[in-house]
Amino acid sequence: MLENRKILLCVSGGIAVYKAVALVSKLSQAGASVKVIMTRSAQQFVQPLTFQVMSRNDVYTDTFDEKDSSVIAHIDLADWADLIIVAPGTANVIGKLAGGIGDDMVTTTLLAATAPIWIAPAMNVHMYDHPAVKRNIQQLHADGIRFIEPSEGFLACGYVGKGRLEEPEKITELVKGYFTREHKLAGKKVIVTAGPTRERIDPVRFLTNFSSGKMGYAMAGAAAEMGAETILISGPVSLPVPSGVTRILVESAEDMLQAVEAHYDSSDYVIKTAAVADYRPKTVADRKMKKQEGGSTIVLERTVDILQQLGENKKNQVLIGFAAETNDVGQYAKDKLERKNADYIIANDVTEAQAGFESDTNRVTVYGKNGFEQAFDMMSKQQLARQLLDLITEKEKLHDS
Ligand code: CTP
């Protein structure tokens, strides 16, 4: 499955280095060509020879040890790789990369790389929880680096908690998944809307909702990973732009409508994750409103239902809506599918713990034409976004053929 795939494994120094040996073995067995770079501390745990034998390739340990005088090793390796995995990723290597430091063979290569970089952290549970480590991980997320979250369990330091390097089998599965999905949306244009909208009342006040934008940003990231030209039209949220995604920031439902319409004709998929306001104040005061005795009333008018409008003008686009409900989820979702002429409605119950607006996880059910219905387990929004796009692209492929 990984025939002709070139994977560069960067091994930094933690007890989990022994699992990185198993990872090289699994990746090679799956047909990948693997090259390994080790930090100095990694060599305290395992000899380079072990990786050399497992990968059947030279192992790189020193930026200044140029094995081939016709190239510069760290640039050459960075250019060679289709995918770079840092496993185990220590707090040190994460910190250095977040700070742009290149002081050894691993970090100089990572800085020179244009291929996707995945980091599989492994460290003590308290180190993983340290604000500096969290900050660095967040920075690297923003830089487009993907993390393979450590699992929970017994740690070599004696603690039980989160910090174990993900199992080599699981990492290999993720790598296989990545390469099979890589080109599924190549040549396609995907528009994703995300976040809340703001409907102004006066220069200092607005109406909005609790949407965090996380699901929409995850959908955009997953579409870009699958090779789509991805336009993310986002309401006001402060989330990092996923790598490979072009973001257009908007404020109101009307702004979002304009931005979506500008790209609609040339798009293949439109994913309407945004929580668009259904109403806006009928008039917007141009000066700050002053309080008065007694109550006050704001008169609202309807905004355009963007999804419905797209549904009415649909040509070949696949239209995907989201529905956040508090009750009768299935019934409302099917009704929206019909009413808005969408191809899929992805519905979730926002009253369920860890499946709402702010959370990092979600549990949804997909509704499609001809009574199609598929429920997904609770999982991270990133993982869910990938699985949703896998499902939809597979179904659309069947539809096309
Ligand atoms: N939507 C939209 N424009 C609007 C309102 C909603 O494009 N003005 C889209 C959302 O982006 C989402 C889908 O419609 O993909 C469903 O949103 P939801 O708010 O659940 O639907 P409503 O039509 O507002 O349904 P209701 O008020 O009946 O719950």
Side-chain angles (χ1 to χ4, degrees):
M1 270 189 92
L2 294 178
E3 225 51 56
N4 300 323
R5 301 299 188 180
K6 293 178 285 210
I7 298 171
L8 181 62
L9 180 66
C10 296
V11 184
S12 60
I15 185 62
V17 170
Y18 77 93
K19 282 179 155 178
V21 178
L23 178 59
V24 175
S25 161
K26 298 273 170 225
L27 292 171
S28 309
Q29 280 171 35
S33 176
V34 184
K35 290 189 180 178
V36 178
I37 311 179
M38 298 176 78
T39 63
R40 233 177 33 186
S41 355
Q43 295 166 62
Q44 299 286 328
F45 293 91
V46 168
Q47 291 289 316
L49 182 62
T50 311
F51 283 104
Q52 183 184 313
V53 172
M54 296 308 283
S55 66
R56 303 285 171 97
N57 272 315
D58 285 340
V59 172
Y60 298 78
T61 55
D62 181 355
T63 327
F64 301 103
D65 174 20
E66 297 287 3
K67 296 179 198 300
D68 173 357
S69 60
S70 67
V71 293
I72 297 164
H74 65 283
I75 307 293
D76 192 47
L77 275 175
D79 290 345
W80 171 83
D82 295 321
L83 175 67
I84 302 178
I85 304 176
V86 183
T90 56
N92 188 43
V93 83
I94 288 171
K96 280 195 210 168
L97 191 56
I101 295 168
D103 65 351
D104 63 5
M105 185 64 187
V106 164
T107 48
T108 48
T109 308
L110 290 174
L111 288 176
T114 52
I117 299 174
W118 296 5
I119 299 181
M123 65 193 78
N124 164 269
V125 60
H126 298 313
M127 287 172 87
Y128 190 61
D129 266 348
H130 193 283
V133 175
K134 284 186 166 164
R135 207 165 45 236
N136 290 333
I137 290 179
Q138 205 175 1
Q139 178 61 52
L140 292 177
H141 264 300
D143 294 344
I145 285 172
R146 177 170 163 188
F147 280 82
I148 303 173
E149 280 212 14
S151 54
E152 296 207 15
F154 284 100
L155 303 177
C157 50
Y159 280 90
V160 176
K162 200 166 182 168
R164 278 163 64 107
L165 180 69
E166 186 52 277
E167 295 306 322
E169 293 76 9
K170 180 75 192 297
I171 298 178
T172 308
E173 282 314 306
L174 291 173
V175 172
K176 287 180 185 168
Y178 169 75
F179 282 117
T180 44
R181 298 170 64 251
E182 191 191 23
H183 298 299
K184 270 192 180 167
L185 283 172
K188 303 283 184 197
K189 180 168 173 180
V190 176
I191 303 177
V192 182
T193 69
T197 60
R198 281 182 186 171
E199 307 303 328
R200 288 182 186 230
I201 298 169
D202 72 7
V204 296
R205 303 180 181 93
F206 53 83
L207 299 174
T208 191
N209 57 62
F210 285 113
S211 172
S212 65
K214 287 178 185 169
M215 193 65 225
Y217 276 61
M219 293 299 287
E225 254 176 40
M226 291 166 82
E229 177 194 350
T230 310
I231 312 283
L232 172 62
I233 298 168
S234 170
V237 294
S238 53
L239 290 174
V241 183
S243 76
V245 170
T246 305
R247 182 174 66 171
I248 300 170
L249 279 173
V250 295
E251 186 178 284
S252 65
E254 186 56 32
D255 298 340
M256 189 171 275
L257 172 69
Q258 307 287 334
V260 173
E261 280 189 333
H263 290 277
Y264 189 46
D265 285 347
S266 55
S267 69
D268 300 286
Y269 289 81
V270 182
I271 307 175
K272 287 244 53 237
T273 328
V276 186
D278 290 322
Y279 294 93
R280 65 172 164 234
K282 195 163 182 184
T283 52
V284 182
D286 52 12
R287 291 177 169 197
K288 184 182 167 192
M289 289 163 71
K290 299 309 251 179
K291 63 177 167 296
Q292 317 262 332
E293 284 305 312
S296 173
T297 305
I298 298 171
V299 178
L300 302 177
E301 64 180 7
R302 285 286 305 273
T303 56
V304 172
D305 188 320
I306 305 172
L307 183 57
Q308 191 159 335
Q309 182 144 321
L310 299 180
E312 281 161 18
N313 301 318
K314 188 159 75 169
K315 293 188 184 87
N316 292 316
Q317 295 91 342
V318 178
L319 272 189
I320 303 156
F322 274 70
E325 305 289 352
T326 55
N327 55 288
D328 303 308
V329 179
Q331 190 188 320
Y332 284 132
K334 287 178 203 161
D335 170 61
K336 281 172 194 174
L337 189 71
E338 188 83 7
R339 184 159 45 90
K340 304 196 184 200
N341 193 23
D343 297 281
Y344 301 91
I345 290 284
I346 299 167
N348 68 323
D349 183 343
V350 283
T351 62
E352 189 180 3
Q354 299 184 323
F357 281 134
E358 288 290 338
S359 86
D360 290 323
T361 52
N362 206 356
R363 187 213 302 276
V364 301
T365 302
V366 179
Y367 297 87
K369 298 236 166 86
N370 305 319
F372 176 80
E373 189 173 327
Q374 184 168 326
F376 284 79
D377 290 336
M378 176 82 74
M379 63 185 92
S380 78
K381 287 181 173 173
Q382 268 76 17
Q383 207 183 343
L384 181 61
R386 291 187 189 108
Q387 293 197 11
L388 287 169
L389 285 183
D390 278 346
L391 170 79
I392 290 170
T393 47
E394 279 308 311
K395 279 186 68 65
E396 290 305 313
K397 202 167 75 188
L398 291 176
H399 189 239
D400 286 348
S401 57

